[in-house]
Amino acid sequence: MAPYQNDTLPIRVRVQDLLARMTTQEKISQVNQHLYGWQSYTRYGSEFTLTDQFKAHVAWGGGLGALYGLFRADPWSGRTLENGIPAAQSATVSNMVQQYVITHSRLGIPALIVEEAPHGHQVLGAVSYPTNLGKSNSFDPALVAQCAQLQAAELAAKGVHLALVSTLDLLKDPRWGRSEETFGESPTLAAAYTQAIIRGFQGNLITDDCFLDHPADADRHVGVVIKHLIGQGDTLGGHNAGTVPLGEREVREVYGPLVASIRHAVGVMAAYNDIDGVPCHANQQLLTRWLRTANHFQGLVMADGTALDRLTDLTGSVAAAAQQALTAGVDLSLWDDVYTHIDQALAADPTLMTALDTAVARVLAVKFLLGLFDRPLVSPSEAAKLPKIITASHQANAKLAVESMTLVKNNGVLPLARNQKVAVIGPHTASIYDWLGDYTAPQAPDQFTSLTDAVRPYASQVCTALGSQLRVGVPDQDYRWLDEAEDCASESDAVILTLGGSSARAFDMHFLTNGALAAPQGNTDTGENVDLADLSLSADQLSLLRVIKNTGKPLIVVMVQGRPYDIRPVLAIADAVLLAWYPGQAGPQAVADILFGQTTPTGRLAISYPRSSGQLPVYYYQRHAAKNADYLDESGAPLLPFGAGLDYTTWIVHSLSLTHDLIEQRTAITVTAANTGQYDSSLPLLLFGRFRGTTVLPREKQLLATRRVTIPAGQKQTVTFTVPDTALTYYDAHMRSVLPDQVTFSVGDQTQTITTRYFHVKEN
């Protein structure tokens, strides 16, 4: 037995032994994730065979570093319910792939199976959760962690090792098509969700202790690769993969908490954008000095899809691009050609072998950590757990869908009375795909309930109509659709109308080599590479809104959306407005349950909701400056502030008090929340801090902590937040991390100010 095969040895020893045995080509293979996974197999009925293309790629490298998207099913991959991999056969196919890779690797090195899981595994038969922008409204990291734990169990039962999950992008400009993938605008909240997702997927797989110094444990694990490092939500004009002209202070203060939050992740994916002119994939300051040296990150850095090929525009050659990426700290490629030509870079600069060895060592270390060498295949007993895991996931998903929705208007019409005639109208009534967001697999009929069917048990009679399309109307149909919707509404006692957008992809669409839409197509107006200049709803939707209003029936609008649209016309006309975001498979049922009072709406906005694209940006932590905040023709304030949201009960927050502990170097902020209404419910409490007495322009306010409390009707609860002194620092005029002179804490309308002159925080 070679040392690298001995599972009692520390991972570091096993890596060093294996690395010393490898040829240059075998090393190059380990840092490559070149092949699209769905190109690896062919399905004939219920039988699967490996393709010649897959076998040739394994032969090229003498093995395989990683394989992305083996199970992926969607219009880009071309995998459907008929030719994709059913959930029940996932373990069989992954074992087939793994067995082939191991037996065709001279040293028996297994491959990492890598999959997309931004809001559930993007495969046939999986649970589709709300997209992040909806999840963020729950202010419930514990529930998000529970859902992540269930996803990890699902992936493990299928033979997956790495899950790609977006958490680091901030919604600074909602014109950006990928807004739905963000946890909103707050770095504090996004960091909390990031840590929850890492904890849910990985448990304590990586701690502050260096995992290389210990043997791998006996279990198989699923690691999470957190996306994207960093700044994608700050691109100019909301352009996908655009430029980010942020200075060092802004990057450190805004994105510092996010970089710190990924410390225990198995992996992180670099972002397409640059920061102040330096592409993230070629940014050694970001990927090595800040990520690894300053924040002690131990995992691997993965490239985004074909991002390394984009470096050739900067470098002029694939060899130079490979040299830049390896030197910066990119350990694993994704679909690009650049890393397949590392041999050319080595020929030009043999000293690059040190950087290659470092990258290979990180890939191998992760493979040892996740148990690939010691337990490379899924056992029958593990695979048999999948149906039970899926059932538990649906239950957690139903709860998360309800918590993700935010009620922003209610003139008393909600909750709706039961056993009346209800009209369900709108462009989202025809297709579940309009509810699910980008990165979604084909859906079987038994995976969801339509909004119409979800409403039926609550109503005596239900009629339904499309009313309009989302973006692209059909001239000879538009008036007929409007007439049908008007007739349906007129015959009903109340109307539920869906408006908003869609990230749905169709099999006749055209895609770029990284899976993004090649150009605007059909009614899809959200998702990767689908950016907007104007946040207004389409004219057809607004016409439908007015027609339904003119019937005089109570009107409840449900906004199904992956970004905030201009809803001023909706708020002016509707009796109630519920922001459902893209709520996943359980979304239609969650909407019905909320509207009829089966559950209460508890979501709160994780963004500052803009009035229009003309007033952007409106995020809450902009710097406090002596400026005219308003425009001649528009208010500068958001339409709805961060944290806004209504409930069926009423709340009073009172009795805020402060206590600072000089020894523990922390402040305790205590507040009481009282449920003074008639419904049991939950309330997200948000603690903000406002700094004053600084040497640079301070921010208007900063979110310091959140707490979600559940309180029965007529009762109250006292909550204590604990804030360390280190959380109250800012970067001063000399780029030192120091305390302001004063901090004003606030929860709701309760405020208290504390002077920091006796606090103890070391300057750096």
Side-chain angles (χ1 to χ4, degrees), residues 230-231 234 242-248 251 273-280 283:
I230 201 159
D234 263 302
T243 186
V244 176
L246 293 181
E248 182 181 0
V251 169
N273 55 274
D274 69 281
I275 297 177
D276 197 23
V278 181
C280 291
N283 195 327

Side-chain angles (χ1 to χ4, degrees), residues 27 87 110 253 284 316 338:
K27 293 176 181 179
E253 286 190 354
Q284 189 177 48
V338 163

Side-chain angles (χ1 to χ4, degrees), residues 201-254:
F201 269 101
Q202 299 181 183
N204 293 319
L205 184 63
I206 297 179
T207 64
D208 288 346
D209 194 16
C210 183
F211 75 81
L212 294 172
D213 295 329
H214 304 278
D217 64 40
D219 296 327
R220 294 173 66 253
H221 297 279
V222 174
V224 63
V225 177
I226 299 296
K227 306 191 298 186
H228 304 87
L229 192 69
I230 201 159
Q232 280 201 129
D234 263 302
T235 57
L236 284 176
H239 291 291
N240 189 49
T243 186
V244 176
L246 293 181
E248 182 181 0
R249 178 175 291 101
E250 199 73 9
V251 169
R252 286 186 176 275
E253 286 190 354
V254 174

Side-chain angles (χ1 to χ4, degrees), residues 544-675:
L544 174 61
L545 175 67
R546 289 189 289 268
V547 165
I548 300 303
K549 179 62 178 178
N550 288 339
T551 66
K553 300 303 173 73
L555 173 59
I556 300 94
V557 172
V558 178
M559 296 299 303
V560 182
Q561 56 187 17
R563 58 155 60 88
Y565 293 94
D566 182 350
I567 59 170
R568 288 175 296 178
V570 179
L571 290 173
I573 287 178
D575 297 293
V577 179
L578 179 70
L579 305 182
W581 308 105
Y582 289 149
Q585 292 164 343
Q589 185 64 59
V591 167
D593 290 346
I594 289 174
L595 297 187
F596 287 92
Q598 183 67 24
T599 57
T600 59
T602 61
R604 298 296 185 269
L605 289 178
I607 60 169
S608 303
Y609 203 104
R611 299 172 187 272
S612 67
S613 53
Q615 64 160 184
L616 297 174
V618 294
Y619 58 91
Y620 70 84
Y621 51 93
Q622 294 182 56
R623 295 195 180 275
H624 179 73
K627 66 179 181 182
N628 177 12
D630 293 325
Y631 300 94
L632 176 65
D633 56 346
E634 181 67 273
S635 169
L639 180 67
L640 300 165
F642 183 96
L646 303 176
D647 199 339
Y648 293 157
T649 195
T650 54
W651 297 96
I652 295 177
V653 177
H654 61 90
S655 303
L656 187 147
S657 62
L658 305 177
T659 303
H660 183 262
D661 190 323
L662 286 172
I663 297 175
E664 297 295 332
Q665 300 179 31
R666 63 191 184 189
T667 303
I669 301 97
T670 300
V671 70
T672 298
N675 182 345

Side-chain angles (χ1 to χ4, degrees), residues 157-217:
K158 296 173 179 176
V160 178
H161 309 115
L162 291 179
L164 308 185
V165 182
S166 297
T167 72
L168 299 181
D169 302 324
L170 299 177
L171 182 47
K172 305 289 280 297
D173 190 330
R175 292 174 294 179
W176 184 37
R178 301 186 78 167
S179 295
E180 65 187 82
E181 297 181 44
T182 75
F183 279 113
E185 68 191 44
S186 168
T188 304
L189 185 60
Y193 280 122
T194 298
Q195 291 173 323
I197 285 170
I198 294 170
R199 183 171 65 252
F201 269 101
Q202 299 181 183
N204 293 319
L205 184 63
I206 297 179
T207 64
D208 288 346
D209 194 16
C210 183
F211 75 81
L212 294 172
D213 295 329
H214 304 278
D217 64 40

Side-chain angles (χ1 to χ4, degrees), residues 135-141 189 193 403 603-606 642-643 684-686 703 706-708:
K135 288 176 191 171
S136 63
N137 286 235
S138 72
F139 286 86
D140 195 348
L189 185 60
Y193 280 122
E403 289 189 8
R604 298 296 185 269
L605 289 178
F642 183 96
L685 292 170
L686 313 183
L703 183 67
T706 70
R707 182 78 59 80
R708 183 183 173 93

